[in-house]
Amino acid sequence: MARQIGLLLALAFIAVLVAAMPRCNPAPSLSPQRASSILTPGVLNPDVTQANIASTICKSGWTRTIRPPVAYTNELKLKQMHQYGRPGKLSDYQEDHLISLELGGNPTDERNLWPEPYPRAREVDQIENELNAKVCSGRMTLAEAQRRESVLKHTAG
């Protein structure tokens, strides 16, 4: 009898421990306004360097030549909305480049793309354009603009 009571107490103790454990969630708990540094660390385009910005990011229309097709980004957006735990419709988000194309980000690497919510995505697009203008005018280095963009998207929110 004492053995059975001891076993019941041990089982009850284990049940209390299991109940008190944090629940596992497949989606990370993230601010909806920022990118995960784990899921989306940012990846650079090896074809863009400080030495060739005049023929790449500072050339009008250049980003159109490397932008991935919508079919690719929409499929990735759906996958990443699940990874990020983002609710809603595809149209609630822009599949954004962490390091934007106009600042030398990799166009197709999943580690450089993430589902950024609207209207924040529009606000950040303006900042990306301002950083590009500074790089192309020589007021900022490409590396500094990329660093600032990464900080903005990983910490703002």
Side-chain angles (χ1 to χ4, degrees), residues 29-153:
S29 176
L30 299 169
S31 162
Q33 301 298 320
R34 65 176 191 230
S36 163
S37 58
I38 295 169
L39 296 174
T40 314
V43 178
L44 300 179
N45 182 343
D47 296 333
V48 177
T49 65
Q50 184 71 47
N52 72 6
I53 59 173
S55 61
T56 56
I57 67 167
C58 298
K59 184 177 178 182
S60 181
W62 181 78
T63 59
R64 283 192 301 266
T65 68
I66 63 165
R67 188 171 303 283
V70 173
Y72 173 77
T73 56
N74 275 348
E75 184 178 326
L76 183 58
K77 186 188 326 185
L78 188 59
K79 173 185 165 186
Q80 290 181 330
M81 283 173 65
H82 176 72
Q83 290 174 329
Y84 268 81
R86 302 279 199 246
K89 306 175 298 236
L90 285 177
S91 60
D92 294 337
Y93 302 90
Q94 171 180 295
E95 187 66 2
D96 192 32
H97 291 89
L98 188 98
I99 303 299
S100 60
L101 299 180
E102 57 264 60
L103 291 176
N106 189 294
T108 56
D109 192 310
E110 291 184 20
R111 298 167 300 160
N112 196 46
L113 288 149
W114 68 292
E116 184 174 30
Y118 288 112
R120 176 77 176 149
R122 283 187 209 72
E123 297 164 7
V124 171
D125 285 347
Q126 183 176 345
I127 295 168
E128 293 168 356
N129 292 335
E130 291 168 5
L131 289 170
N132 173 269
K134 287 180 180 181
V135 170
C136 293
S137 69
R139 292 180 288 149
M140 184 180 293
T141 66
L142 177 61
E144 177 60 15
Q146 291 166 339
R147 186 194 70 73
R148 288 185 186 190
E149 185 174 32
S150 178
V151 167
L152 171 72
K153 292 180 181 179

